[in-house]
Amino acid sequence: MGEPAVSAQGLTKCFGAVCACQGIDLTVAPGEIVGLVGPDGAGKTTAFRMLCGILPPDHGTARVAGYDVVTQSEAVKARIGYLPQRFSLHRDLTIDENIQYVAELYTVPRDEWQSRREELLEMTYLAPFRRRLAGRLSGGMRQKLALVCALVHRPEVLFLDEPTTGVDPVSRRDFWKLLHDLPRQGVTMVISTPYMDEAARCNRLAFMYAGQVLATDTPDNLRRQLPGELMQVRCRPQREAREALKRCSAVRSVEVFGDRLHVLFHGTADPMLCERLLADAGVECLEQQPVEPSLEDVFMSLVSEHGLTATATGNGL
Amino acid sequence: MNYRRLLAVARTESIHNLRDVRSLFVIVVLPVVLLLLYGYGINYDLRNVPFAVQDLERTELSRSLIQHLVSSGYFQLRQVIHDQRQIAESLDRAAVVFVLVIPPDMGRRLGAGRPAKVQVLVDGADTTRASVAVGYIEGALLAFSGKLGAEYLARQGLSAAGGLDVRPVVLYNADLKSVRFIVPGLMAILLTLLSGLLTSTCIVREREWGSFETLVTSPALPPEILIGKILPYVVIAFADTLLSIGAGALIFGVVPVGSRLLLLFTSFLYLLASLAIGIFFSTIMRTQRLAILTTTLVTLVPTIQLSGFAFPIRSQPLVLQVISNFIPATHYLIIIRSLYLKGADLLVLWPRVLALLVFTVVLVTVAARRFRKQL
């Protein structure tokens, strides 16, 4: 398919003693939706900023839409759309005015952006609110407006930094519907998210933790990557159960998912072993069954494999 | 440079100002209020200075002295004091600015060819007014004394020959009206205030709002952003310049004697310099509040203090006099006062105009170099 839409090698950026990104490698083929998945502080935003040509990396190189992000950053900027994590349009401008502002910053010819604006407002159902100030829009509508503005100049690559964080579930679903239509229009997307359910909607994922990419693959392949089998256990009291299971050499790791424990074995899951361990610890086992690994299981396992500590909510740096 | 991007930034900046009540206030109301307040309120001219008299002599002569003061138009007799204690009391109440005490032997001493002493007690609480008043009183008394002398000589059949006849001629502002001095000064204050304060927030505000990220990620070039940001303020500040020139002429009758073109040109230079200072602090400060504060501190305060607007530079300590040379307002004030009052031309004013030009170029360059398209 020719040149990849995004290709990064060894992107590194440190702020003083803290390294937000340490050797990020990423390749995105045209038309793909690639998700950067990781907790807050994993370095997703810094990676985005380097890829968008607004933050020069300390080391490493990257090409986006065919241009070098350091030496040809303005050419990169003209060919990408970037939706920052924080709402970054003008609150005291209306929807229409914001779109015009962005369109002219990207020097889209007037008749072109005007028809494009209609099309995008139609698509996002924002047309009835076009004269409303951006500051008076709901969170979901604001994100749609940001998306419209990021698309008005027909970018080749769209970078979305946690676009649905802080957006209600219904609006999140709407937003993703819009995103899924974009590859057909020839837009390549890199999207960051802390949500695993959103990650599952991407073609390919890059798991990020503490400034590093731990794994890159399709969601299905990543799930298969889990070294060993998984057993889901519901028991009381949970804390003792977890301690007991962790002590066993056949158990690779134990993660808490609400009132359930996910027990990852080295190799095959052994229900008998699990039961015995719990009984010995005086824990009442309510339910246990083998389960297919979720992306979260894979992520947690990768994190602990790297000798890094993390909690299920994830707090990196 | 792409003019569409530049105009997009400029249009958005204008919309911010039009929709923000605070900046609308600064743009429209502030200049008018300041102009009226300063034009009418600050008046160094004294008229009808209230005074009291304790006439201990009560003769033809003493009455003619009082009449002489009153008829000058500068003084107004408010009270005739009969009791010593009333003097302090009426000065304390600020009912009068000074009390004239005529001794009982004034006529006798003068008649004997000896000097007579007249006492003037001045309320020094308001030093400016007091010193102006003292000057007026001295002048009036001196004139009266001269008149007496001449009359005396005339009675002796002699004419007042010889001696120094001082006749000061005040040039440029012949009737010493302070409004002619204040209106140009006010223009400097207005331009400093408007251009400095308005631009001091325009970059840092976008940072605070997060909208700077849109600019940074767009292909707009730094000069396009910077000029786009400044453009509305150049227009606003220039319009306000015209407004104050117009108001000065229509309301106060103060019209520049010198070249109007030079007035507009130097005003333009000065507003650019002020805008550059504002932009500079807007790029380096983290919050709007901090940017406004520092800009005010380095522009408006020294402009009022050092530029000779309120206090004459020559009466200030030498250090401050030297420092005042490094404030654009000092040069701008000298230029516009010369243009307004003296009708000076470029042949005379060129060192000041040059200084202003250098300031403007340096400040704009520094601000432009400091501006980064970075978060």
Side-chain angles (χ1 to χ4, degrees), chain A residues 209-285:
Chain A
Y209 188 81
Q212 288 172 310
V213 174
L214 303 182
T216 316
D217 215 326
T218 62
D220 285 344
N221 284 344
L222 282 171
R223 284 197 200 96
R224 279 196 281 274
Q225 233 183 45
L226 197 69
E229 285 181 6
L230 205 62
M231 184 76 83
Q232 181 173 282
V233 181
R234 200 152 68 85
C235 50
R236 260 199 319 247
Q238 204 179 42
R239 184 198 289 262
E240 278 73 11
R242 193 172 166 219
E243 295 305 316
L245 290 166
K246 265 186 165 174
R247 275 195 296 273
C248 175
S249 60
V251 174
R252 198 181 177 97
S253 67
V254 184
E255 300 293 344
V256 183
F257 285 81
D259 65 340
R260 292 172 176 81
L261 294 176
H262 278 195
V263 187
L264 180 63
F265 287 87
H266 292 284
T268 7
D270 184 348
M272 303 300 283
L273 173 68
C274 204
E275 228 164 284
R276 208 181 63 236
L277 284 169
L278 292 174
D280 287 351
V283 173
E284 181 193 1
C285 184

Side-chain angles (χ1 to χ4, degrees), chain B residues 274-354:
Chain B
S274 302
L275 286 172
I277 295 175
I279 282 277
F280 175 74
F281 284 109
S282 201
T283 52
I284 62 169
M285 289 299 161
R286 289 271 155 212
T287 64
Q288 289 195 55
R289 197 177 293 229
L290 219 57
I292 293 177
L293 221 77
T294 32
T295 309
T296 314
L297 222 62
V298 299
T299 59
L300 196 63
V301 174
T303 302
I304 294 176
Q305 284 289 323
L306 297 175
S307 61
F309 170 64
F311 315 104
I313 291 178
R314 252 173 247 118
S315 63
Q316 292 181 14
L318 189 66
V319 190
L320 291 185
Q321 287 194 37
V322 173
I323 293 174
S324 76
N325 277 312
F326 295 96
I327 294 168
T330 308
H331 305 281
Y332 177 62
L333 267 166
I334 291 174
I335 294 169
I336 57 170
R337 283 208 177 115
S338 306
L339 288 173
Y340 257 99
L341 295 164
K342 302 182 187 169
D345 55 18
L346 208 50
L347 280 176
V348 183
L349 288 176
W350 70 265
R352 300 291 179 178
V353 177
L354 189 69

Side-chain angles (χ1 to χ4, degrees), chain A residues 49 54 74 77-78 82 84 86-88 90-93 97 100-101 104-109 113 133, chain B residues 2 4-5 8 11-12 15-16 19 206-211 213-219 373 375:
Chain A
R49 287 185 174 167
I54 59 175
E74 300 305 320
K77 286 175 192 173
Y82 176 42
R86 190 176 162 202
F87 182 68
S88 65
H90 290 290
R91 286 173 174 73
D92 56 348
L93 261 60
E97 287 165 344
Q100 180 182 359
Y101 171 63
E104 292 195 331
L105 283 183
Y106 287 85
T107 56
V108 183
W113 68 251
L133 296 182
Chain B
N2 182 296
R4 281 191 58 207
R5 291 198 287 237
R11 186 190 316 109
T12 304
I15 294 177
H16 292 326
R19 293 193 184 153
E206 292 234 18
R207 279 184 204 277
E208 278 189 358
W209 287 350
S211 49
E213 201 150 0
T214 301
L215 271 178
V216 170
T217 46
S218 80
K373 214 182 131 189
L375 290 171

Side-chain angles (χ1 to χ4, degrees), chain B residues 5-40:
Chain B
R5 291 198 287 237
L6 193 155
L7 287 182
V9 176
R11 186 190 316 109
T12 304
E13 195 64 30
S14 312
I15 294 177
H16 292 326
N17 282 303
L18 290 176
R19 293 193 184 153
D20 179 25
V21 181
R22 263 189 314 174
S23 55
L24 261 188
F25 177 82
V26 174
I27 296 166
V28 181
V29 183
L30 197 70
V32 176
V33 168
L34 268 186
L35 210 67
L36 292 179
L37 203 69
Y38 278 61
Y40 284 120

